[in-house]
Amino acid sequence: MRKTFFVILFSCISLGSYAQPDELTRILFVFDASNSMNAKWDGSTRIAIAKELLIKAVDSLRGVPNLELGLRIYGHQSPITPTYQDCEDTKLEVPFTKGNHNLIKGKIRGVIPKGTTPIARSLEAAADDFPDKNARNVIVLITDGIEACDHDPCVIADKLRAKGISIRPFVIGIGIDMEYLNHFDCIGTYLDANNRTSFANVLTTVINSALIATTVQVNLNDIYGTPSETDVTFNLYESGKKIPLYSYTHTLNKFRLPDTLVINDRVTYDLEVFTTPVVSKSGITIKRNQHNIIEIDAPRGTLHVRFSNALREYPVQTRVIQHGKSKTLNVQEMNQEDAYIVGKYDLEIMTLPRIYQTVEINQSSKKTINIPAPGILLYTTSKKISGQLFLITSTNEMEWVANLDEQAQSGTWNLQPGNYRIVYRPLNAMNTLHTDKKDFRILSNKTTSLNF
């Protein structure tokens, strides 16, 4: 059985139930106790958080069948000084045996960071920590680290490959120069985390990957069948049910490919992707011990509605509806861009008067709707009136816009540029002949005042 190496840069883990391996699996935790682990992070120190969460991880793995654990620590035996660093400071503290969880936890609790960071030498030594090749052998390296000695992890990777040992690491970076993580491309890919929660989720995924070889990626395909769409929430449900088993924000990795996930392979799933409108797929089965690709069409473009010449902000929203349907899909704010599945949409722009348009959203394109900025109408009356506001169209027709408030003697409206008429009479007048009218014009960004 080949040896498989997972490299984790300064990790943490969330508790939960782990996958059950079908074959004997050995996980060797290689723990960074170099001086740099004393650095502050997330309200504590890297070493304190790493200790706490690795101990919880070891406890969570208690009782998992077909699993053996070991522990190697480096950087904990020789203090680093301005003139000396011990690049041989790496030691197998707990060899592989059954039921050694408490021994591993005790070693982790008692370790004090003080030395240098011999990552490459620790990896090289760790290859000989496994009793034999008759198991799935996995290394999990927990470090904040930049290699501090004279060995290159990539060189070590080549040497291990020459021995027939395959390396497929996961690299998780926290408190580390992201450019340095590119050096690990020679031995695998890396994941980065920007907070404790995401970091916990990443390591949970990594440990599950160590226990089983089943992985999943969700391809959100554009109109060309390329998985280029991303940055949207998706849920995986047990088929026929609506309580999400997994809820993720879809992510493309640094190679612009969908991120790899580990999920329960013994469940049939329904997928729901919260694009606008939602797209879904049902009856998805996961094949065990292989990489699964779930594909769904989700081609999108963007819509941008804006005032073309506004001198200030006007609070206007746009109601977006699929063409030919009546249900509101979204209410989009003015000057905001939102993404929509490729197709036709009916827009109701909530100006006064309303503006109605039908638009076509195309793949990876932005459809911009420009409308003129409104002007302001201020009116006051000497008495309460009953009246209505109309737009005078280019054909001299009267198009109703709004009703005046009968209980108010003043009002303000933002109105689209154009010619308008108010038809009114005193509220207490008992004769139709008391009807009067006021014609006026609204210009963008200008205020029109009426007194009647």
Side-chain angles (χ1 to χ4, degrees):
M1 184 66 64
R2 66 185 182 180
K3 293 185 180 180
T4 303
F5 289 74
F6 294 81
V7 179
I8 316 297
L9 293 191
F10 183 48
S11 316
C12 60
I13 187 164
S14 62
L15 295 178
S17 58
Y18 286 104
Q20 308 292 300
D22 293 327
E23 59 180 321
L24 177 59
T25 299
R26 299 188 184 102
I27 298 178
L28 177 68
F29 292 105
V30 180
F31 191 76
D32 184 344
S34 64
N35 185 58
S36 61
M37 289 288 281
N38 289 311
K40 298 292 185 182
W41 183 73
D42 200 20
S44 183
T45 61
R46 296 172 183 173
I47 189 64
I49 293 173
K51 281 184 177 185
E52 173 196 343
L53 296 175
L54 181 55
I55 286 170
K56 290 180 180 178
V58 171
D59 260 339
S60 297
L61 291 168
R62 194 188 298 271
V64 174
N66 297 320
L67 178 64
E68 295 179 1
L69 302 178
L71 174 67
R72 171 175 285 273
I73 302 178
Y74 67 79
H76 63 306
Q77 300 176 103
S78 301
I80 192 170
T81 72
T83 59
Y84 176 73
Q85 59 178 10
D86 182 2
C87 286
E88 301 300 331
D89 185 0
T90 179
K91 181 181 179 182
L92 178 63
E93 293 287 357
V94 182
F96 288 102
T97 56
K98 292 186 180 297
N100 60 359
H101 301 75
N102 288 340
L103 184 57
I104 291 175
K105 288 162 56 180
K107 289 291 185 180
I108 294 168
R109 283 194 187 98
V111 72
I112 298 174
K114 53 188 173 183
T116 190
T117 311
I119 294 175
R121 296 191 193 194
S122 296
L123 284 176
E124 186 174 27
D128 295 323
D129 293 342
F130 297 92
D132 54 53
K133 296 183 180 180
N134 299 319
R136 191 159 184 263
N137 294 326
V138 179
I139 291 178
V140 175
L141 171 60
I142 301 172
T143 180
D144 68 344
I146 295 177
E147 173 65 50
C149 294
D150 56 352
H151 279 50
D152 183 347
C154 298
V155 173
I156 298 302
D158 289 339
K159 288 182 178 180
L160 293 175
R161 288 193 189 96
K163 296 179 182 179
I165 298 171
S166 175
I167 295 187
R168 300 190 289 119
F170 289 90
V171 179
I172 303 174
I174 279 195
I176 185 172
D177 183 350
M178 294 305 293
E179 185 174 342
Y180 176 77
L181 289 176
N182 292 330
H183 297 185
F184 285 89
D185 286 350
C186 59
I187 53 175
T189 59
Y190 70 82
L191 303 168
D192 64 329
N194 56 16
N195 57 47
R196 172 179 268 216
T197 299
S198 63
F199 201 28
N201 291 338
V202 165
L203 189 55
T204 298
T205 297
V206 169
I207 289 183
N208 271 318
S209 296
L211 296 176
I212 61 171
T214 307
T215 55
V216 172
Q217 74 181 58
V218 177
N219 287 4
L220 305 183
N221 292 336
D222 58 27
I223 60 171
Y224 311 107
T226 302
S228 65
E229 300 292 346
T230 191
D231 297 335
V232 63
T233 301
F234 68 92
N235 284 350
L236 285 164
Y237 310 97
E238 185 176 353
S239 192
K241 301 180 180 179
K242 290 297 286 184
I243 299 175
L245 298 179
Y246 303 94
S247 186
Y248 294 110
T249 298
H250 190 274
T251 305
L252 298 181
N253 63 28
K254 69 170 185 171
F255 302 107
R256 303 301 296 169
L257 295 173
D259 206 11
T260 297
L261 307 171
V262 177
I263 63 175
N264 188 344
D265 56 16
R266 302 187 187 278
V267 175
T268 300
Y269 292 98
D270 294 338
L271 169 67
E272 188 172 33
V273 184
F274 290 92
T275 50
T276 308
V278 169
V279 295
S280 59
K281 188 173 187 175
S282 59
I284 301 165
T285 57
I286 305 299
K287 295 181 179 178
R288 191 170 177 83
N289 294 321
Q290 70 180 61
H291 185 62
N292 296 259
I293 298 178
I294 302 172
E295 303 210 45
I296 188 168
D297 290 334
R300 294 189 298 170
T302 58
L303 173 67
H304 183 201
V305 183
R306 68 176 188 178
F307 289 121
S308 58
N309 58 340
L311 298 181
R312 66 177 183 87
E313 294 292 329
Y314 295 96
V316 173
Q317 296 175 319
T318 297
R319 179 172 172 246
V320 183
I321 310 146
Q322 274 186 288
H323 182 61
K325 298 186 178 181
S326 58
K327 182 180 178 180
T328 299
L329 281 178
N330 188 29
V331 177
Q332 184 169 323
E333 300 293 334
M334 184 62 66
N335 295 321
Q336 174 183 309
E337 293 182 17
D338 277 345
Y340 298 88
I341 293 293
V342 166
K344 277 188 176 182
Y345 295 87
D346 297 326
L347 308 182
E348 181 183 8
I349 304 173
M350 311 292 274
T351 53
L352 282 179
R354 297 287 189 263
I355 298 174
Y356 298 92
Q357 288 198 22
T358 298
V359 298
E360 184 87 30
I361 301 297
N362 297 313
Q363 175 68 57
S364 303
S365 296
K366 179 168 69 175
K367 179 67 175 181
T368 300
I369 305 297
N370 292 302
I371 62 174
I376 299 173
L377 170 65
L378 298 176
Y379 75 89
T380 58
T381 64
S382 59
K383 58 187 70 175
K384 292 181 180 179
I385 63 173
S386 175
Q388 293 179 297
L389 172 67
F390 296 89
L391 173 71
I392 306 302
T393 69
S394 58
T395 57
N396 287 323
E397 297 178 13
M398 291 171 57
E399 178 182 313
W400 174 85
V401 175
N403 296 329
L404 277 67
D405 183 355
E406 293 181 349
Q407 301 305 312
Q409 290 182 237
S410 64
T412 302
W413 276 310
N414 292 329
L415 299 174
Q416 285 294 286
N419 295 313
Y420 291 85
R421 176 176 297 160
I422 291 177
V423 180
Y424 67 97
R425 63 162 173 75
L427 185 61
N428 58 2
M430 306 301 292
N431 193 315
T432 304
L433 296 180
H434 287 98
T435 299
D436 204 347
K437 65 180 180 179
K438 287 282 186 179
D439 288 345
F440 58 96
R441 183 170 179 79
I442 294 292
L443 301 174
S444 287
N445 300 306
K446 303 292 186 182
T447 299
T448 299
S449 297
L450 294 180
N451 296 289
F452 51 94

